[in-house]
Amino acid sequence: MNRTLLLLLALVAASAVAAWNVGGAMGAGILAGALCGGSLAALGASWQQLMIRTRPKRAMAATVEVFLVKLACLLGSGLIFRFVPQAAARADWRSYLVAFAVCAFAVMIVGTFENARALTRGRDAARAKDTTTPAVLADPTLREGGTL
C-alpha cells in the first residue's frame, strides 16, 4: 500500500497545483474530483488487500464491489455537480469528472498491482510450507513429522 498512498499524495498535490493555476469553479472541480476519486480508489485497494488476507476466495468479488461503488459515486456526484445550482456554482462538473476518473484509474492500477504481488507472495509462502512435495512423501521420517 505504500506505493498506492504515495501515488495518491502525488496526484492530490498535482491536482492542487493545477486547481490553483486554473482557479474558480473549474479549479475546485479538479481538486474535488482528484480527492474523491483518489480516496475512493485507495479505500478500494485497502478493501481488496483485506479480502486477500482474510478471505482470498473473495478477492475478485471485492474488486467488482469496489468498481461498482466508484461508479455509483462518480455518477451520483457528477449529477449533483451538474444539476444542483449551488454545487454547480462551486465546482465545474466536467473538470470534476475528468479528475475523478484520472485519479481513480491511476490509484486503482497501482493498488491492484500491489495487491496482486501480495497475493502471489502469499501463494509462494504457502508452497514453501507445503509438506506434500515429492521429497517429503518419499522419505517416511519426514512424513511422520521429522524435520528436513
Side-chain angles (χ1 to χ4, degrees), residues 107-144:
V107 172
M108 176 193 68
I109 292 296
V110 172
T112 301
F113 279 130
E114 278 190 315
N115 289 335
R117 216 171 87 215
L119 188 61
T120 56
R121 254 188 275 132
R123 188 179 305 135
D124 292 342
R127 283 184 187 156
K129 291 181 181 179
D130 190 12
T131 59
T132 60
T133 59
V136 172
L137 294 174
D139 190 357
T141 59
L142 293 177
R143 276 187 298 191
E144 295 168 0

PDB file of all heavy atoms in Angstrom, residues 107-144:
ATOM      1  N   VAL A 107      -4.756   5.315  -9.261  1.00  0.00           N
ATOM      2  CA  VAL A 107      -4.607   4.701  -7.944  1.00  0.00           C
ATOM      3  C   VAL A 107      -5.091   3.254  -7.973  1.00  0.00           C
ATOM      4  O   VAL A 107      -4.496   2.371  -7.358  1.00  0.00           O
ATOM      5  CB  VAL A 107      -5.345   5.534  -6.871  1.00  0.00           C
ATOM      6  CG1 VAL A 107      -5.370   4.827  -5.536  1.00  0.00           C
ATOM      7  CG2 VAL A 107      -4.688   6.894  -6.726  1.00  0.00           C
ATOM      8  N   MET A 108      -6.147   2.993  -8.729  1.00  0.00           N
ATOM      9  CA  MET A 108      -6.650   1.629  -8.838  1.00  0.00           C
ATOM     10  C   MET A 108      -5.624   0.699  -9.468  1.00  0.00           C
ATOM     11  O   MET A 108      -5.411  -0.425  -8.997  1.00  0.00           O
ATOM     12  CB  MET A 108      -7.930   1.601  -9.669  1.00  0.00           C
ATOM     13  CG  MET A 108      -8.468   0.205  -9.923  1.00  0.00           C
ATOM     14  SD  MET A 108      -9.738   0.145 -11.200  1.00  0.00           S
ATOM     15  CE  MET A 108      -8.786   0.535 -12.669  1.00  0.00           C
ATOM     16  N   ILE A 109      -4.956   1.139 -10.523  1.00  0.00           N
ATOM     17  CA  ILE A 109      -3.965   0.301 -11.207  1.00  0.00           C
ATOM     18  C   ILE A 109      -2.808  -0.029 -10.264  1.00  0.00           C
ATOM     19  O   ILE A 109      -2.418  -1.192 -10.124  1.00  0.00           O
ATOM     20  CB  ILE A 109      -3.454   1.004 -12.486  1.00  0.00           C
ATOM     21  CG1 ILE A 109      -4.570   1.091 -13.523  1.00  0.00           C
ATOM     22  CG2 ILE A 109      -2.243   0.299 -13.051  1.00  0.00           C
ATOM     23  CD1 ILE A 109      -5.049  -0.255 -14.008  1.00  0.00           C
ATOM     24  N   VAL A 110      -2.258   0.973  -9.612  1.00  0.00           N
ATOM     25  CA  VAL A 110      -1.130   0.734  -8.710  1.00  0.00           C
ATOM     26  C   VAL A 110      -1.560  -0.135  -7.525  1.00  0.00           C
ATOM     27  O   VAL A 110      -0.855  -1.069  -7.136  1.00  0.00           O
ATOM     28  CB  VAL A 110      -0.520   2.068  -8.238  1.00  0.00           C
ATOM     29  CG1 VAL A 110       0.522   1.850  -7.172  1.00  0.00           C
ATOM     30  CG2 VAL A 110       0.079   2.805  -9.415  1.00  0.00           C
ATOM     31  N   GLY A 111      -2.732   0.130  -6.963  1.00  0.00           N
ATOM     32  CA  GLY A 111      -3.228  -0.672  -5.848  1.00  0.00           C
ATOM     33  C   GLY A 111      -3.476  -2.117  -6.238  1.00  0.00           C
ATOM     34  O   GLY A 111      -3.169  -3.046  -5.480  1.00  0.00           O
ATOM     35  N   THR A 112      -4.001  -2.331  -7.429  1.00  0.00           N
ATOM     36  CA  THR A 112      -4.256  -3.695  -7.893  1.00  0.00           C
ATOM     37  C   THR A 112      -2.955  -4.446  -8.107  1.00  0.00           C
ATOM     38  O   THR A 112      -2.847  -5.631  -7.745  1.00  0.00           O
ATOM     39  CB  THR A 112      -5.087  -3.665  -9.189  1.00  0.00           C
ATOM     40  OG1 THR A 112      -6.324  -2.995  -8.918  1.00  0.00           O
ATOM     41  CG2 THR A 112      -5.371  -5.062  -9.680  1.00  0.00           C
ATOM     42  N   PHE A 113      -1.963  -3.800  -8.677  1.00  0.00           N
ATOM     43  CA  PHE A 113      -0.670  -4.461  -8.858  1.00  0.00           C
ATOM     44  C   PHE A 113      -0.027  -4.797  -7.519  1.00  0.00           C
ATOM     45  O   PHE A 113       0.557  -5.869  -7.354  1.00  0.00           O
ATOM     46  CB  PHE A 113       0.281  -3.610  -9.698  1.00  0.00           C
ATOM     47  CG  PHE A 113       0.024  -3.720 -11.171  1.00  0.00           C
ATOM     48  CD1 PHE A 113      -0.096  -2.582 -11.947  1.00  0.00           C
ATOM     49  CD2 PHE A 113      -0.099  -4.948 -11.783  1.00  0.00           C
ATOM     50  CE1 PHE A 113      -0.336  -2.678 -13.309  1.00  0.00           C
ATOM     51  CE2 PHE A 113      -0.341  -5.058 -13.143  1.00  0.00           C
ATOM     52  CZ  PHE A 113      -0.460  -3.915 -13.905  1.00  0.00           C
ATOM     53  N   GLU A 114      -0.129  -3.897  -6.549  1.00  0.00           N
ATOM     54  CA  GLU A 114       0.425  -4.191  -5.227  1.00  0.00           C
ATOM     55  C   GLU A 114      -0.305  -5.357  -4.559  1.00  0.00           C
ATOM     56  O   GLU A 114       0.314  -6.223  -3.946  1.00  0.00           O
ATOM     57  CB  GLU A 114       0.346  -2.957  -4.326  1.00  0.00           C
ATOM     58  CG  GLU A 114       1.465  -1.997  -4.553  1.00  0.00           C
ATOM     59  CD  GLU A 114       1.504  -0.922  -3.497  1.00  0.00           C
ATOM     60  OE1 GLU A 114       0.443  -0.365  -3.156  1.00  0.00           O
ATOM     61  OE2 GLU A 114       2.607  -0.633  -3.008  1.00  0.00           O
ATOM     62  N   ASN A 115      -1.617  -5.393  -4.704  1.00  0.00           N
ATOM     63  CA  ASN A 115      -2.384  -6.488  -4.114  1.00  0.00           C
ATOM     64  C   ASN A 115      -2.106  -7.806  -4.820  1.00  0.00           C
ATOM     65  O   ASN A 115      -2.048  -8.856  -4.173  1.00  0.00           O
ATOM     66  CB  ASN A 115      -3.879  -6.163  -4.138  1.00  0.00           C
ATOM     67  CG  ASN A 115      -4.234  -5.073  -3.160  1.00  0.00           C
ATOM     68  OD1 ASN A 115      -3.539  -4.862  -2.175  1.00  0.00           O
ATOM     69  ND2 ASN A 115      -5.306  -4.377  -3.426  1.00  0.00           N
ATOM     70  N   ALA A 116      -1.924  -7.772  -6.125  1.00  0.00           N
ATOM     71  CA  ALA A 116      -1.594  -8.999  -6.853  1.00  0.00           C
ATOM     72  C   ALA A 116      -0.225  -9.514  -6.432  1.00  0.00           C
ATOM     73  O   ALA A 116      -0.020 -10.727  -6.288  1.00  0.00           O
ATOM     74  CB  ALA A 116      -1.628  -8.735  -8.351  1.00  0.00           C
ATOM     75  N   ARG A 117       0.700  -8.614  -6.217  1.00  0.00           N
ATOM     76  CA  ARG A 117       2.023  -9.016  -5.744  1.00  0.00           C
ATOM     77  C   ARG A 117       1.940  -9.647  -4.358  1.00  0.00           C
ATOM     78  O   ARG A 117       2.596 -10.652  -4.074  1.00  0.00           O
ATOM     79  CB  ARG A 117       2.945  -7.798  -5.727  1.00  0.00           C
ATOM     80  CG  ARG A 117       4.365  -8.140  -6.105  1.00  0.00           C
ATOM     81  CD  ARG A 117       5.205  -6.917  -6.293  1.00  0.00           C
ATOM     82  NE  ARG A 117       5.750  -6.557  -4.992  1.00  0.00           N
ATOM     83  CZ  ARG A 117       5.958  -5.332  -4.587  1.00  0.00           C
ATOM     84  NH1 ARG A 117       5.685  -4.329  -5.359  1.00  0.00           N
ATOM     85  NH2 ARG A 117       6.465  -5.093  -3.405  1.00  0.00           N
ATOM     86  N   ALA A 118       1.127  -9.072  -3.486  1.00  0.00           N
ATOM     87  CA  ALA A 118       0.955  -9.639  -2.147  1.00  0.00           C
ATOM     88  C   ALA A 118       0.295 -11.010  -2.223  1.00  0.00           C
ATOM     89  O   ALA A 118       0.646 -11.919  -1.471  1.00  0.00           O
ATOM     90  CB  ALA A 118       0.117  -8.699  -1.286  1.00  0.00           C
ATOM     91  N   LEU A 119      -0.633 -11.176  -3.147  1.00  0.00           N
ATOM     92  CA  LEU A 119      -1.305 -12.460  -3.309  1.00  0.00           C
ATOM     93  C   LEU A 119      -0.339 -13.529  -3.792  1.00  0.00           C
ATOM     94  O   LEU A 119      -0.336 -14.644  -3.283  1.00  0.00           O
ATOM     95  CB  LEU A 119      -2.475 -12.317  -4.282  1.00  0.00           C
ATOM     96  CG  LEU A 119      -3.406 -13.495  -4.432  1.00  0.00           C
ATOM     97  CD1 LEU A 119      -4.075 -13.811  -3.103  1.00  0.00           C
ATOM     98  CD2 LEU A 119      -4.459 -13.196  -5.484  1.00  0.00           C
ATOM     99  N   THR A 120       0.520 -13.194  -4.738  1.00  0.00           N
ATOM    100  CA  THR A 120       1.490 -14.186  -5.216  1.00  0.00           C
ATOM    101  C   THR A 120       2.553 -14.467  -4.166  1.00  0.00           C
ATOM    102  O   THR A 120       3.021 -15.595  -4.064  1.00  0.00           O
ATOM    103  CB  THR A 120       2.161 -13.732  -6.527  1.00  0.00           C
ATOM    104  OG1 THR A 120       2.768 -12.464  -6.333  1.00  0.00           O
ATOM    105  CG2 THR A 120       1.151 -13.649  -7.652  1.00  0.00           C
ATOM    106  N   ARG A 121       2.923 -13.470  -3.370  1.00  0.00           N
ATOM    107  CA  ARG A 121       3.867 -13.706  -2.278  1.00  0.00           C
ATOM    108  C   ARG A 121       3.286 -14.675  -1.263  1.00  0.00           C
ATOM    109  O   ARG A 121       3.973 -15.563  -0.772  1.00  0.00           O
ATOM    110  CB  ARG A 121       4.239 -12.398  -1.585  1.00  0.00           C
ATOM    111  CG  ARG A 121       5.627 -11.936  -1.937  1.00  0.00           C
ATOM    112  CD  ARG A 121       6.060 -10.764  -1.105  1.00  0.00           C
ATOM    113  NE  ARG A 121       5.560  -9.549  -1.726  1.00  0.00           N
ATOM    114  CZ  ARG A 121       4.936  -8.579  -1.095  1.00  0.00           C
ATOM    115  NH1 ARG A 121       4.726  -8.639   0.183  1.00  0.00           N
ATOM    116  NH2 ARG A 121       4.515  -7.522  -1.734  1.00  0.00           N
ATOM    117  N   GLY A 122       2.011 -14.532  -0.957  1.00  0.00           N
ATOM    118  CA  GLY A 122       1.353 -15.437  -0.032  1.00  0.00           C
ATOM    119  C   GLY A 122       1.262 -16.842  -0.590  1.00  0.00           C
ATOM    120  O   GLY A 122       1.422 -17.830   0.124  1.00  0.00           O
ATOM    121  N   ARG A 123       1.032 -16.957  -1.877  1.00  0.00           N
ATOM    122  CA  ARG A 123       0.964 -18.271  -2.509  1.00  0.00           C
ATOM    123  C   ARG A 123       2.330 -18.942  -2.501  1.00  0.00           C
ATOM    124  O   ARG A 123       2.449 -20.140  -2.251  1.00  0.00           O
ATOM    125  CB  ARG A 123       0.458 -18.128  -3.945  1.00  0.00           C
ATOM    126  CG  ARG A 123       0.184 -19.455  -4.611  1.00  0.00           C
ATOM    127  CD  ARG A 123      -0.334 -19.303  -6.027  1.00  0.00           C
ATOM    128  NE  ARG A 123      -1.517 -18.456  -6.071  1.00  0.00           N
ATOM    129  CZ  ARG A 123      -1.706 -17.493  -6.964  1.00  0.00           C
ATOM    130  NH1 ARG A 123      -0.792 -17.252  -7.876  1.00  0.00           N
ATOM    131  NH2 ARG A 123      -2.795 -16.778  -6.956  1.00  0.00           N
ATOM    132  N   ASP A 124       3.386 -18.166  -2.743  1.00  0.00           N
ATOM    133  CA  ASP A 124       4.735 -18.727  -2.711  1.00  0.00           C
ATOM    134  C   ASP A 124       5.114 -19.182  -1.306  1.00  0.00           C
ATOM    135  O   ASP A 124       5.755 -20.209  -1.129  1.00  0.00           O
ATOM    136  CB  ASP A 124       5.759 -17.711  -3.217  1.00  0.00           C
ATOM    137  CG  ASP A 124       5.591 -17.426  -4.707  1.00  0.00           C
ATOM    138  OD1 ASP A 124       4.943 -18.242  -5.394  1.00  0.00           O
ATOM    139  OD2 ASP A 124       6.102 -16.392  -5.167  1.00  0.00           O
ATOM    140  N   ALA A 125       4.702 -18.429  -0.302  1.00  0.00           N
ATOM    141  CA  ALA A 125       4.991 -18.826   1.081  1.00  0.00           C
ATOM    142  C   ALA A 125       4.241 -20.094   1.448  1.00  0.00           C
ATOM    143  O   ALA A 125       4.765 -20.960   2.151  1.00  0.00           O
ATOM    144  CB  ALA A 125       4.610 -17.698   2.039  1.00  0.00           C
ATOM    145  N   ALA A 126       3.022 -20.228   0.953  1.00  0.00           N
ATOM    146  CA  ALA A 126       2.250 -21.443   1.229  1.00  0.00           C
ATOM    147  C   ALA A 126       2.892 -22.654   0.550  1.00  0.00           C
ATOM    148  O   ALA A 126       2.916 -23.747   1.104  1.00  0.00           O
ATOM    149  CB  ALA A 126       0.814 -21.269   0.756  1.00  0.00           C
ATOM    150  N   ARG A 127       3.428 -22.461  -0.633  1.00  0.00           N
ATOM    151  CA  ARG A 127       4.115 -23.565  -1.323  1.00  0.00           C
ATOM    152  C   ARG A 127       5.379 -23.974  -0.583  1.00  0.00           C
ATOM    153  O   ARG A 127       5.745 -25.139  -0.560  1.00  0.00           O
ATOM    154  CB  ARG A 127       4.467 -23.155  -2.752  1.00  0.00           C
ATOM    155  CG  ARG A 127       3.294 -23.188  -3.678  1.00  0.00           C
ATOM    156  CD  ARG A 127       3.721 -22.876  -5.091  1.00  0.00           C
ATOM    157  NE  ARG A 127       2.550 -22.760  -5.933  1.00  0.00           N
ATOM    158  CZ  ARG A 127       2.513 -22.087  -7.048  1.00  0.00           C
ATOM    159  NH1 ARG A 127       3.588 -21.449  -7.474  1.00  0.00           N
ATOM    160  NH2 ARG A 127       1.418 -22.038  -7.767  1.00  0.00           N
ATOM    161  N   ALA A 128       6.068 -23.012   0.021  1.00  0.00           N
ATOM    162  CA  ALA A 128       7.289 -23.329   0.752  1.00  0.00           C
ATOM    163  C   ALA A 128       6.978 -24.146   2.005  1.00  0.00           C
ATOM    164  O   ALA A 128       7.789 -24.968   2.426  1.00  0.00           O
ATOM    165  CB  ALA A 128       8.027 -22.051   1.133  1.00  0.00           C
ATOM    166  N   LYS A 129       5.807 -23.937   2.598  1.00  0.00           N
ATOM    167  CA  LYS A 129       5.421 -24.673   3.791  1.00  0.00           C
ATOM    168  C   LYS A 129       4.734 -26.001   3.466  1.00  0.00           C
ATOM    169  O   LYS A 129       4.430 -26.775   4.359  1.00  0.00           O
ATOM    170  CB  LYS A 129       4.473 -23.831   4.640  1.00  0.00           C
ATOM    171  CG  LYS A 129       5.116 -22.643   5.270  1.00  0.00           C
ATOM    172  CD  LYS A 129       4.110 -21.892   6.100  1.00  0.00           C
ATOM    173  CE  LYS A 129       4.739 -20.662   6.717  1.00  0.00           C
ATOM    174  NZ  LYS A 129       3.778 -19.904   7.503  1.00  0.00           N
ATOM    175  N   ASP A 130       4.467 -26.248   2.202  1.00  0.00           N
ATOM    176  CA  ASP A 130       3.739 -27.448   1.796  1.00  0.00           C
ATOM    177  C   ASP A 130       4.537 -28.702   2.130  1.00  0.00           C
ATOM    178  O   ASP A 130       5.701 -28.831   1.787  1.00  0.00           O
ATOM    179  CB  ASP A 130       3.458 -27.377   0.290  1.00  0.00           C
ATOM    180  CG  ASP A 130       2.504 -28.473  -0.165  1.00  0.00           C
ATOM    181  OD1 ASP A 130       1.903 -29.121   0.709  1.00  0.00           O
ATOM    182  OD2 ASP A 130       2.371 -28.660  -1.373  1.00  0.00           O
ATOM    183  N   THR A 131       3.897 -29.642   2.803  1.00  0.00           N
ATOM    184  CA  THR A 131       4.570 -30.887   3.188  1.00  0.00           C
ATOM    185  C   THR A 131       4.199 -32.046   2.285  1.00  0.00           C
ATOM    186  O   THR A 131       4.476 -33.189   2.602  1.00  0.00           O
ATOM    187  CB  THR A 131       4.214 -31.247   4.639  1.00  0.00           C
ATOM    188  OG1 THR A 131       2.794 -31.395   4.734  1.00  0.00           O
ATOM    189  CG2 THR A 131       4.726 -30.202   5.601  1.00  0.00           C
ATOM    190  N   THR A 132       3.558 -31.759   1.158  1.00  0.00           N
ATOM    191  CA  THR A 132       3.187 -32.838   0.249  1.00  0.00           C
ATOM    192  C   THR A 132       4.072 -32.873  -0.987  1.00  0.00           C
ATOM    193  O   THR A 132       3.676 -33.394  -2.008  1.00  0.00           O
ATOM    194  CB  THR A 132       1.715 -32.686  -0.185  1.00  0.00           C
ATOM    195  OG1 THR A 132       1.571 -31.423  -0.836  1.00  0.00           O
ATOM    196  CG2 THR A 132       0.791 -32.777   1.005  1.00  0.00           C
ATOM    197  N   THR A 133       5.266 -32.309  -0.891  1.00  0.00           N
ATOM    198  CA  THR A 133       6.180 -32.349  -2.028  1.00  0.00           C
ATOM    199  C   THR A 133       6.724 -33.763  -2.202  1.00  0.00           C
ATOM    200  O   THR A 133       6.717 -34.556  -1.252  1.00  0.00           O
ATOM    201  CB  THR A 133       7.347 -31.362  -1.821  1.00  0.00           C
ATOM    202  OG1 THR A 133       8.028 -31.723  -0.621  1.00  0.00           O
ATOM    203  CG2 THR A 133       6.852 -29.929  -1.732  1.00  0.00           C
ATOM    204  N   PRO A 134       7.200 -34.116  -3.376  1.00  0.00           N
ATOM    205  CA  PRO A 134       7.684 -35.474  -3.617  1.00  0.00           C
ATOM    206  C   PRO A 134       8.793 -35.905  -2.667  1.00  0.00           C
ATOM    207  O   PRO A 134       8.828 -37.057  -2.238  1.00  0.00           O
ATOM    208  CB  PRO A 134       8.183 -35.423  -5.058  1.00  0.00           C
ATOM    209  CG  PRO A 134       7.410 -34.329  -5.687  1.00  0.00           C
ATOM    210  CD  PRO A 134       7.164 -33.323  -4.605  1.00  0.00           C
ATOM    211  N   ALA A 135       9.689 -35.008  -2.272  1.00  0.00           N
ATOM    212  CA  ALA A 135      10.772 -35.372  -1.367  1.00  0.00           C
ATOM    213  C   ALA A 135      10.232 -35.753   0.004  1.00  0.00           C
ATOM    214  O   ALA A 135      10.699 -36.698   0.634  1.00  0.00           O
ATOM    215  CB  ALA A 135      11.773 -34.231  -1.241  1.00  0.00           C
ATOM    216  N   VAL A 136       9.237 -35.041   0.478  1.00  0.00           N
ATOM    217  CA  VAL A 136       8.648 -35.334   1.780  1.00  0.00           C
ATOM    218  C   VAL A 136       7.873 -36.639   1.721  1.00  0.00           C
ATOM    219  O   VAL A 136       7.930 -37.468   2.635  1.00  0.00           O
ATOM    220  CB  VAL A 136       7.745 -34.165   2.243  1.00  0.00           C
ATOM    221  CG1 VAL A 136       6.983 -34.521   3.495  1.00  0.00           C
ATOM    222  CG2 VAL A 136       8.580 -32.920   2.459  1.00  0.00           C
ATOM    223  N   LEU A 137       7.138 -36.858   0.644  1.00  0.00           N
ATOM    224  CA  LEU A 137       6.358 -38.079   0.528  1.00  0.00           C
ATOM    225  C   LEU A 137       7.245 -39.316   0.380  1.00  0.00           C
ATOM    226  O   LEU A 137       6.873 -40.410   0.801  1.00  0.00           O
ATOM    227  CB  LEU A 137       5.393 -37.977  -0.658  1.00  0.00           C
ATOM    228  CG  LEU A 137       4.287 -36.921  -0.497  1.00  0.00           C
ATOM    229  CD1 LEU A 137       3.496 -36.816  -1.772  1.00  0.00           C
ATOM    230  CD2 LEU A 137       3.398 -37.250   0.674  1.00  0.00           C
ATOM    231  N   ALA A 138       8.413 -39.170  -0.212  1.00  0.00           N
ATOM    232  CA  ALA A 138       9.298 -40.311  -0.431  1.00  0.00           C
ATOM    233  C   ALA A 138      10.022 -40.728   0.845  1.00  0.00           C
ATOM    234  O   ALA A 138      10.349 -41.899   1.017  1.00  0.00           O
ATOM    235  CB  ALA A 138      10.321 -39.975  -1.511  1.00  0.00           C
ATOM    236  N   ASP A 139      10.283 -39.821   1.764  1.00  0.00           N
ATOM    237  CA  ASP A 139      11.022 -40.141   2.980  1.00  0.00           C
ATOM    238  C   ASP A 139      10.042 -40.384   4.136  1.00  0.00           C
ATOM    239  O   ASP A 139       9.350 -39.469   4.575  1.00  0.00           O
ATOM    240  CB  ASP A 139      11.962 -38.976   3.318  1.00  0.00           C
ATOM    241  CG  ASP A 139      12.933 -39.321   4.432  1.00  0.00           C
ATOM    242  OD1 ASP A 139      12.844 -40.440   4.980  1.00  0.00           O
ATOM    243  OD2 ASP A 139      13.768 -38.466   4.742  1.00  0.00           O
ATOM    244  N   PRO A 140       9.969 -41.612   4.676  1.00  0.00           N
ATOM    245  CA  PRO A 140       8.995 -41.908   5.729  1.00  0.00           C
ATOM    246  C   PRO A 140       9.236 -41.133   7.018  1.00  0.00           C
ATOM    247  O   PRO A 140       8.302 -40.842   7.752  1.00  0.00           O
ATOM    248  CB  PRO A 140       9.148 -43.416   5.960  1.00  0.00           C
ATOM    249  CG  PRO A 140      10.323 -43.858   5.190  1.00  0.00           C
ATOM    250  CD  PRO A 140      10.724 -42.774   4.271  1.00  0.00           C
ATOM    251  N   THR A 141      10.473 -40.750   7.318  1.00  0.00           N
ATOM    252  CA  THR A 141      10.718 -40.000   8.555  1.00  0.00           C
ATOM    253  C   THR A 141      10.146 -38.589   8.465  1.00  0.00           C
ATOM    254  O   THR A 141       9.689 -38.035   9.458  1.00  0.00           O
ATOM    255  CB  THR A 141      12.223 -39.910   8.857  1.00  0.00           C
ATOM    256  OG1 THR A 141      12.874 -39.275   7.759  1.00  0.00           O
ATOM    257  CG2 THR A 141      12.800 -41.295   9.089  1.00  0.00           C
ATOM    258  N   LEU A 142      10.174 -38.025   7.268  1.00  0.00           N
ATOM    259  CA  LEU A 142       9.628 -36.681   7.105  1.00  0.00           C
ATOM    260  C   LEU A 142       8.097 -36.714   7.136  1.00  0.00           C
ATOM    261  O   LEU A 142       7.462 -35.774   7.604  1.00  0.00           O
ATOM    262  CB  LEU A 142      10.107 -36.055   5.803  1.00  0.00           C
ATOM    263  CG  LEU A 142      11.606 -35.756   5.741  1.00  0.00           C
ATOM    264  CD1 LEU A 142      11.949 -35.205   4.370  1.00  0.00           C
ATOM    265  CD2 LEU A 142      12.002 -34.787   6.815  1.00  0.00           C
ATOM    266  N   ARG A 143       7.492 -37.785   6.649  1.00  0.00           N
ATOM    267  CA  ARG A 143       6.027 -37.885   6.672  1.00  0.00           C
ATOM    268  C   ARG A 143       5.507 -37.988   8.094  1.00  0.00           C
ATOM    269  O   ARG A 143       4.414 -37.557   8.394  1.00  0.00           O
ATOM    270  CB  ARG A 143       5.565 -39.121   5.907  1.00  0.00           C
ATOM    271  CG  ARG A 143       5.460 -38.885   4.427  1.00  0.00           C
ATOM    272  CD  ARG A 143       4.856 -40.067   3.787  1.00  0.00           C
ATOM    273  NE  ARG A 143       5.771 -41.184   4.039  1.00  0.00           N
ATOM    274  CZ  ARG A 143       5.697 -42.356   3.458  1.00  0.00           C
ATOM    275  NH1 ARG A 143       4.728 -42.600   2.632  1.00  0.00           N
ATOM    276  NH2 ARG A 143       6.562 -43.301   3.715  1.00  0.00           N
ATOM    277  N   GLU A 144       6.284 -38.543   8.991  1.00  0.00           N
ATOM    278  CA  GLU A 144       5.840 -38.752  10.358  1.00  0.00           C
ATOM    279  C   GLU A 144       6.105 -37.540  11.248  1.00  0.00           C
ATOM    280  O   GLU A 144       5.976 -37.610  12.450  1.00  0.00           O
ATOM    281  CB  GLU A 144       6.529 -39.983  10.940  1.00  0.00           C
ATOM    282  CG  GLU A 144       6.120 -41.250  10.213  1.00  0.00           C
ATOM    283  CD  GLU A 144       6.992 -42.411  10.576  1.00  0.00           C
ATOM    284  OE1 GLU A 144       7.921 -42.236  11.402  1.00  0.00           O
ATOM    285  OE2 GLU A 144       6.781 -43.489  10.028  1.00  0.00           O
TER     286      GLU A 144
END
